[in-house]
Structures are given as structure tokens and as C-alpha cells.
Amino acid sequence: MQLADLRGRRVAVWGTGREGVAAVRAIAPVGPASLVAVDDRQNFLTKDWSPELAALAPLHTGPAAFDALRAADVVVRSPGVAQTHPWMVQLRAAGSRVTGGTALWMAAHRDRTVGITGSKGKSTTSSLVSHLLAAAGQPNELGGNIGIPVLDLPPAPAYVLELSAYQCADLDDSPRVAAVTSLFPEHLDWTGGEDEYYRVKLNLVANGPAAVVVHAGATTVLDELARRHPGLPLHVVGGEDSFHIRDGVFRLGAEPLFPRSALRLLGAHNEANLCVALGVLRAYGIDVAAAAPALEAALGAFAGLPHRLERIEDPSGLTFVDDSLSTIPQAAIHAIEAFRDRPLTVLLGGEDRGVDYTPLRAHFAAATVPTTVIGMPDSGARLVSLLEDLPLVTTYVSDSLVDAVALARKVTPAGGVVLMSPAAPSYGRFDNYAHRSRVFRQAIEDSAPPAG
């Protein structure tokens, strides 16, 4: 189903965040028989529905909201609406047509689109792909879960999309080139369980991609693809016959491309992300070996993403690190490893979605250097309870992110690192990960000791 297929039909857009706004503005010019907006979550995160938007799509809230959804021929679901939402369950049972803005867009643009998903690594990999495609002479637009909602993207020769499970769930078309960076249990409240989470993630590749790029180290991805979608055109990187790193050099098979130092990002996980990005370029038709000098130069200008291992130097001599994009234990583990050479305090905790934190316990249990952990609401206390008995971990529980920063200043040794890598989503106390980062930075500034 494309946008044009909504002409003459009754359409309800469910959700009034940025994706809902983009959907209303994209659908209204098509000429639906009627267009309404629905918001069932009136809370402190709710945005004002402007007169301009109300003229395009009157807003239904409260008891009338579900009636508006049931009356629609097509419901365009915003990504934040969970698969397990009771209204969603009822709509599906009634045979209602439910889709999403990403699905409407993908149906018309799949042939020049790269789609990247994964439980971790998708933001950095998507940004690398977009940056390196441009350096190799392929202009493109980056959007989706990062940057611009897909329905707001301008015309372009190519597109690179970072896609969440929420956005993959409704796809009826796969992009030309897809990449899956990793799979770990996440968002289980949204999907209803681990198996369903993996299913919606891998829906990205369920509808005829020309190539699917996966790192050899992502064994869960490879196992799930073999189980659910055998016969895919897989491009596996990370082995000696493809893109890999050996002796401090990125290589394509035996051919050296450029030194590891060309990649400014810390951590072995970012080496894997770059190998996936190079695999995507090759699958898209770029001669990576020929383009290696241009790609090396472009990597020198790629500083990484805001809120992903972003250093904030402080007059006290401490280094604060904003890793607000870390929403699962595995992401936090990679961040912790990147700073193991300095005294480290880690701020952990956020929205509690029942994620299994035992991987973090196993990581800290195997560590050989001491670490301080400060748990933040809402999941921080639960996480700290798993670590309290470990001999090399000192734990505290704070009442807020602001309090955690102030406490970290007191307990972190001179020259140490204060790493906010929450291993949990931001929602509940913040609008999103960027809002959490702003609060973190403000708390650093407000808690700084007086000059002199």
C-alpha cells in the first residue's frame, strides 16, 4: 500500500508525535475521503495539536478515540503504538487494515533504499553508510528512526534509513539492501515477547531484498535468519574473505583498504559496524577498493553520533561521557569496555521494561578492575541489586539523573570517567534520549565546582 492508495478512503492517524504529524501532512494532499488523528495517551509528553494540523485532521481523544479508529478504512499507526495495545489487538481481530508511515513510504522507494535495523549498532552503522555513500559519489538522504521521519524526506537519488522494530513491523516491502547489526531481547512489552520481537525486526528482510548484510559475529542474527527466512541473498562480513580488520588494518579479503586509525570511533563494536557499512556499500554497487582513498578521508571527518560515547571534558579533570543512545545491556557493556583504562563510574537505569540485566552482571563479575555503578530510576535499583555482592563493584542508588551526576562527582577519582550509558530507554521521565542528554549536560554544568 502506497500513499496514493489512500485516496478516497477513510484514514485515521494514530499518534500525534513527530511521526503522526509527518503522516498527516503527507496523507492530506492525497485526497482521503476523511482524515482524523487519534491520541490515546494524553500525558505530560503529549504535544499540542496546532490549528493548522486540526484543519487537516481533527483530533480525537478520550472515549471517542477508539470509535474513530474502528470507523477508518485504514489506520496509520505511529511507531510508539505497541503491538500489544488492547486497541491494536481488537483492530487486528476485526480485520482492520493497519499500516505505518514507513510502510507507506517504502512501497514507493524500496529500489533506492538501504534499510538498517538491529538491537544495537543501527544508528552508527546507518550514519556511516550515509556518510560513506556520499563520499563514494552517491548522494543520499538519511532518515527514519534517526533524523527525519521518512514521510518528511525530500526527493533524493538514494536513501539510508535507520529502522526500529516499531517501524519494521508493518513493512510489506523490503529495501533494496538491508542490514541487521545485532539481535538481543528488547522492547518485549511492545511486542509481547522475544520471539515476536525477533519476528518484527526481521520483517525488514521478509519481502524480497536484493542483499542482506550481516556481520559474522552476529550469530543470533544468522541463526534467526536461517530459521525464519532461509535462502536470503546474504552478504556476511567480518571473515577473512570479506571486510574485516587484521593487524590494525581494514581489509577486503587479502587487500588492505586503510588503517584502523582512520576510524575515529572507539571500541571493537565500531570496527564491526564499519565492516557492515562497507558491506552495504558493496552490495549497493560501490567499488569499495577503488573508493578506499575517498572513504579513508571521509572517515577522518566522521566523529560519531551525538549521544553515543560523546565525551564532555570538565574543568575538574573528570571526563563525562554521554551515551544516552544506550538502551540495552549489550550497548552499555561495549561502552564500559571502551573506558577500562581509566577509573570509571557508570550511570545505569531508565524506563524499566523488564529487560534481563544478567549480561551486565556477568560482565562486571568477570572484570579485573574496580568500577562504581550508580543506579538511576526506574530500573536502576533492580540493576544495582544484581551487582551488590560483586567484590570489584561499588554501588549506589540515586533518585534522579541530576542526583546521580552530583554523586558521581564525589565518588569518581581524579582523572576518571563518568559514563552515562543507561542500558534502558529514556521514556517515562524524559521525552527521548536527546532530552535525557540535555538534562545530563545541564546537571554537569550545574554541579561543577566554582572556578578558582
Side-chain angles (χ1 to χ4, degrees):
M1 175 177 282
Q2 300 185 24
L3 279 170
D5 297 325
L6 301 180
R7 184 177 296 113
R9 307 180 80 171
R10 296 170 296 174
V11 180
V13 172
W14 187 357
T16 57
R18 68 172 196 151
E19 295 268 358
V21 170
V24 165
R25 288 181 171 154
I27 293 167
V30 170
S34 64
L35 177 61
V36 299
V38 170
D39 189 349
D40 66 300
R41 297 190 303 172
Q42 293 288 303
N43 56 32
F44 76 99
L45 294 177
T46 300
K47 310 299 183 187
D48 290 334
W49 199 245
S50 70
E52 173 223 348
L53 291 168
L56 298 175
L59 178 62
H60 293 256
T61 61
F66 186 47
D67 292 337
L69 293 175
R70 287 191 298 182
D73 299 317
V74 180
V75 174
V76 180
R77 175 189 63 83
S78 291
V81 177
Q83 297 279 73
T84 54
H85 192 296
W87 292 0
M88 179 67 77
V89 174
Q90 292 179 60
L91 289 170
R92 299 263 194 217
S96 298
R97 181 69 167 94
V98 181
T99 188
T102 304
L104 293 170
W105 184 93
M106 188 72 76
H109 298 88
R110 60 177 293 176
D111 290 341
R112 47 205 168 107
T113 298
V114 171
I116 299 169
T117 195
S119 302
K120 65 178 179 63
K122 60 184 181 294
S123 300
T124 297
T125 303
S126 300
S127 299
L128 277 168
V129 168
S130 177
H131 186 70
L132 296 179
L133 273 176
Q138 177 60 73
N140 65 90
E141 288 286 337
L142 174 66
N145 196 51
I146 187 171
I148 305 172
V150 293
L151 289 173
D152 282 341
L153 286 168
Y159 299 93
V160 179
L161 304 184
E162 181 209 321
L163 298 173
S164 67
Y166 311 152
Q167 293 162 317
C168 292
D170 298 313
L171 293 177
D172 297 312
D173 303 273
S174 292
R176 172 176 157 187
V177 177
V180 185
T181 58
S182 59
L183 283 177
F184 299 104
E186 190 185 19
H187 303 305
L188 304 187
D189 59 330
W190 188 92
T191 58
E194 181 176 328
D195 190 70
E196 179 66 4
Y197 170 67
Y198 288 173
R199 186 193 70 80
V200 297
K201 270 289 194 189
L202 297 181
N203 192 46
L204 178 69
V205 304
N207 296 283
V212 178
V213 182
V214 182
H215 194 279
T219 54
T220 301
V221 177
L222 291 168
D223 290 346
E224 290 293 321
L225 288 175
R227 181 167 78 91
R228 297 170 187 272
H229 305 291
L232 284 172
L234 284 179
H235 295 227
V236 180
V237 302
E240 292 287 327
D241 60 340
S242 184
F243 296 101
H244 65 285
I245 184 167
R246 189 180 76 245
D247 299 329
V249 176
F250 283 98
R251 305 172 187 272
L252 173 54
E255 183 174 2
L257 298 174
F258 37 75
R260 168 62 175 88
S261 58
L263 178 65
R264 297 168 59 186
L265 308 185
L266 298 172
H269 63 294
N270 279 318
E271 296 169 2
N273 290 337
L274 179 55
C275 287
V276 172
L278 294 172
V280 168
L281 262 65
R282 191 183 193 196
Y284 202 80
I286 303 297
D287 185 338
V288 173
L295 300 179
E296 180 178 356
L299 286 171
F302 188 82
L305 300 179
H307 323 306
R308 173 63 79 204
L309 292 180
E310 187 175 9
R311 296 171 185 253
I312 306 165
E313 299 300 335
D314 188 76
S316 68
L318 295 176
T319 298
F320 289 85
V321 179
D322 174 9
D323 197 40
S324 186
L325 278 171
S326 161
T327 59
I328 59 173
Q330 290 78 9
I333 289 168
H334 284 310
I336 291 164
E337 280 301 300
F339 294 99
R340 271 300 179 194
D341 59 338
R342 295 174 63 182
L344 181 63
T345 297
V346 188
L347 312 188
L348 293 168
E351 184 184 15
D352 196 343
R353 294 183 172 179
V355 169
D356 179 12
Y357 284 127
T358 54
L360 269 168
R361 175 181 168 82
H363 180 77
F364 282 118
T368 58
V369 294
T371 307
T372 299
V373 172
I374 300 176
M376 304 181 295
D378 294 314
S379 63
R382 178 167 70 87
L383 200 156
V384 161
S385 70
L386 293 175
L387 308 177
E388 291 175 316
D389 63 327
L390 298 180
L392 292 180
V393 180
T394 302
T395 60
Y396 301 89
V397 176
S398 67
D399 292 330
S400 69
L401 171 55
V402 172
D403 290 344
V405 170
L407 177 58
R409 279 197 180 277
K410 296 177 182 178
V411 301
T412 308
V417 173
V418 178
L419 167 66
M420 181 186 70
S421 188
S426 54
Y427 301 113
R429 293 175 182 260
F430 307 98
D431 290 358
N432 50 38
Y433 66 86
H435 181 203
R436 178 162 61 186
S437 292
R438 291 195 299 273
V439 173
F440 180 57
R441 287 174 175 270
Q442 189 63 52
I444 295 168
E445 183 177 328
D446 293 344
S447 64

